[in-house]
């Protein structure tokens, strides 16, 4: 597609429920990133995929959070047993992996706003 | 962890004035990027400056980089109401022998341009 697509754009769930957020990156972008942004804060890194593998998942806050990218394109961020503190905008971004210049410019989706009641 | 920190946190100006935002960072970098965000949703890349560049222009944007002070500034000239947004600097971390790469963002500057 022309841009990074994220679904759903808004998700309201109850505490304890399971949630999946989907990201469809720009075709051909091998690098895919998930960030979380709380009100008034900058994007906080969660996880980075290079192809199908999670190259760095050091930003995932705990084992309730998990992400996959099985075919190296679409990625799903999964949150188990949601808590009110998980409420935030979850941003996905993709990038070409230009190791020659090491200039990775991220293209972001519009985000998925998660509200946990 | 936060690599870049923007200053000021909020800036309010009149249309036509210039807006300057600053970013300080902690570790050595090979480039620095600025992004813009409207209404708390997706970020848009504005400009990238390499570590061997001191200044770069793009339209009404001017970015400077001082690697000795580990700081960068973003200047928006002749501001417009449509420039109202949050602005973030982002710095890269290259690790695992150069095979991995991520961007770390600061908390941002909220710019309000009043008509």
């Amino acid at each position: 597609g022309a841009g990074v697509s994220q679904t759903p754009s808004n998700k309201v769930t109850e505490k304890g429920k399971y949630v999946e957020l989907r990201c469809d990156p720009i075709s051909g972008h091998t690098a895919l990133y998930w960030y979380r942004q709380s009100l008034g804060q900058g994007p906080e890194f969660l996880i980075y995929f290079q192809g199908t593998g999670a190259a760095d998942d050091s930003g995932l806050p705990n084992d309730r959070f998990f992400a996959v990218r099985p075919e190296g394109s679409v990625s799903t961020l999964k949150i188990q047993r949601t808590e009110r503190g998980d409420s935030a905008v979850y941003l996905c971004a993709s990038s070409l992996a230009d190791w020659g210049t090491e200039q990775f410019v991220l293209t972001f989706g519009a985000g998925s706003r998660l509200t946990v009641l | 962890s936060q690599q870049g920190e923007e200053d000021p946190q909020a800036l309010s100006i009149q249309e036509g004035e210039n807006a300057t935002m600053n970013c300080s960072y902690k570790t050595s970098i090979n480039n620095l990027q600025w992004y813009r965000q409207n209404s708390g949703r997706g970020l848009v890349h504005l400009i990238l400056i390499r570590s061997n560049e001191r200044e770069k222009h793009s339209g009404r944007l001017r970015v400077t980089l001082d690697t000795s002070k580990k700081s960068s500034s973003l200047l928006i000239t002749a501001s417009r109401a449509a420039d109202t947004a949050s602005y973030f600097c982002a710095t890269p971390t290259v690790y695992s022998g150069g095979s991995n790469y991520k961007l770390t963002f600061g908390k941002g500057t909220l710019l309000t341009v009043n008509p």
Side-chain angles (χ1 to χ4, degrees):
Chain A
V4 178
S5 175
Q6 291 190 247
T7 54
S9 55
N10 284 284
K11 176 71 177 179
V12 180
T13 191
E14 294 179 344
K15 180 176 179 293
K17 298 291 188 183
Y18 170 80
V19 165
E20 287 190 354
L21 306 175
R22 175 189 167 105
C23 173
D24 197 345
I26 290 173
S27 179
H29 280 193
T30 59
L32 184 146
Y33 303 81
W34 283 99
Y35 289 84
R36 176 169 73 173
Q37 186 175 28
S38 301
L39 193 62
Q41 301 295 313
E44 173 194 14
F45 171 79
L46 294 178
I47 186 169
Y48 153 56
F49 289 89
Q50 187 61 256
T52 59
D56 182 350
D57 64 359
S58 62
L60 295 177
N62 51 60
D63 61 6
R64 295 186 298 105
F65 288 75
F66 188 70
V68 295
R69 195 186 185 197
E71 297 178 356
S73 56
V74 171
S75 176
T76 305
L77 178 65
K78 306 180 181 191
I79 310 174
Q80 298 178 319
R81 304 183 303 280
T82 51
E83 300 178 356
R84 293 194 180 88
D86 299 335
S87 295
V89 175
Y90 289 80
L91 296 166
C92 177
S94 69
S95 171
L96 286 171
D98 186 350
W99 293 112
T101 62
E102 291 186 350
Q103 295 178 14
F104 283 46
V105 172
L106 271 57
T107 301
F108 280 83
S112 292
R113 184 179 300 277
L114 174 66
T115 303
V116 182
L117 301 177
Chain B
S1 61
Q2 216 96 36
Q3 161 74 309
E5 291 288 342
E6 293 86 348
D7 170 60
Q9 288 186 316
L11 179 61
S12 182
I13 59 174
Q14 295 300 122
E15 213 166 21
E17 293 180 340
N18 295 342
T20 299
M21 288 157 272
N22 303 297
C23 169
S24 59
Y25 57 92
K26 297 173 185 173
T27 61
S28 296
I29 56 173
N30 57 15
N31 66 78
L32 182 143
Q33 301 182 38
W34 285 90
Y35 286 76
R36 162 190 167 137
Q37 184 179 40
N38 290 87
S39 304
R41 299 309 284 254
L43 283 77
V44 175
H45 173 77
L46 292 176
I47 196 166
L48 179 151
I49 185 166
R50 295 192 298 266
S51 59
N52 61 355
E53 296 176 312
R54 291 296 167 260
E55 187 171 309
K56 193 166 183 178
H57 296 254
S58 177
R60 293 185 295 113
L61 304 180
R62 189 188 87 165
V63 170
T64 63
L65 181 63
D66 187 335
T67 54
S68 65
K69 294 182 180 177
K70 291 188 170 58
S71 67
S72 173
S73 68
L74 171 66
L75 168 68
I76 304 174
T77 60
S79 63
R80 306 166 182 167
D83 295 328
T84 295
S86 291
Y87 292 83
F88 297 90
C89 67
T91 49
T93 302
V94 182
Y95 51 106
S96 296
S99 62
N100 290 325
Y101 185 104
K102 70 181 181 187
L103 278 184
T104 303
F105 290 82
K107 293 185 178 180
T109 293
L110 176 59
L111 173 66
T112 302
V113 181
N114 301 299

